[in-house]
Amino acid sequence: HLAETFQALGDSSRIQIVWLLAHGEQDVGTLAKRLSMSQPAVSHHLRTLRNLRLVRIRKLGRNSVYKLDDEHINHLLDEGINHVEDFLQ
């Protein structure tokens, strides 16, 4: 499961989605606009992240919003960013 998690986070589009969700809940349309991606492409990435329990979905009326599943995902992202920043210095 750990290898699958890192593999999923190895995709730049999914990292961008996780980064945006680390700053709050968003729906597919908003994510697609912010990433200049199609809604089906974003939905595909979200499905992958959801299957690995990295993000969760919440129904809001007729809409669905996504957020990080828990704080561990945010920590993984922060540690990865810190590692890259240290490497670049």
Side-chain angles (χ1 to χ4, degrees), residues 2 18 31 33 36 40 42 48 64 70 72 74 78 85-86:
L2 180 62
V18 170
L31 290 167
K33 285 179 190 174
S36 299
V42 172
T48 299
S64 298
D70 62 32
H72 293 108
N74 202 19
D78 287 341
E85 286 176 344
D86 288 347

Side-chain angles (χ1 to χ4, degrees), residues 15-50:
I15 283 290
Q16 291 175 17
I17 290 169
V18 170
W19 172 259
L20 290 172
L21 294 178
H23 295 88
E25 292 181 327
Q26 297 189 47
D27 63 20
V28 175
T30 301
L31 290 167
K33 285 179 190 174
R34 294 188 72 185
L35 296 171
S36 299
M37 294 175 63
S38 69
Q39 286 189 10
V42 172
S43 292
H44 173 76
H45 288 303
L46 286 167
R47 187 176 320 111
T48 299
L49 294 170
R50 195 174 69 237

Side-chain angles (χ1 to χ4, degrees), residues 43-77:
S43 292
H44 173 76
H45 288 303
L46 286 167
R47 187 176 320 111
T48 299
L49 294 170
R50 195 174 69 237
N51 288 342
L52 290 168
R53 295 186 178 160
L54 300 177
V55 300
R56 70 172 64 175
I57 189 171
R58 181 172 68 88
K59 295 290 185 181
L60 191 62
R62 298 178 77 196
N63 294 325
S64 298
V65 292
Y66 290 83
K67 67 178 188 173
L68 295 184
D69 189 68
D70 62 32
E71 200 56 33
H72 293 108
I73 309 311
N74 202 19
H75 291 303
L76 274 174
L77 183 65

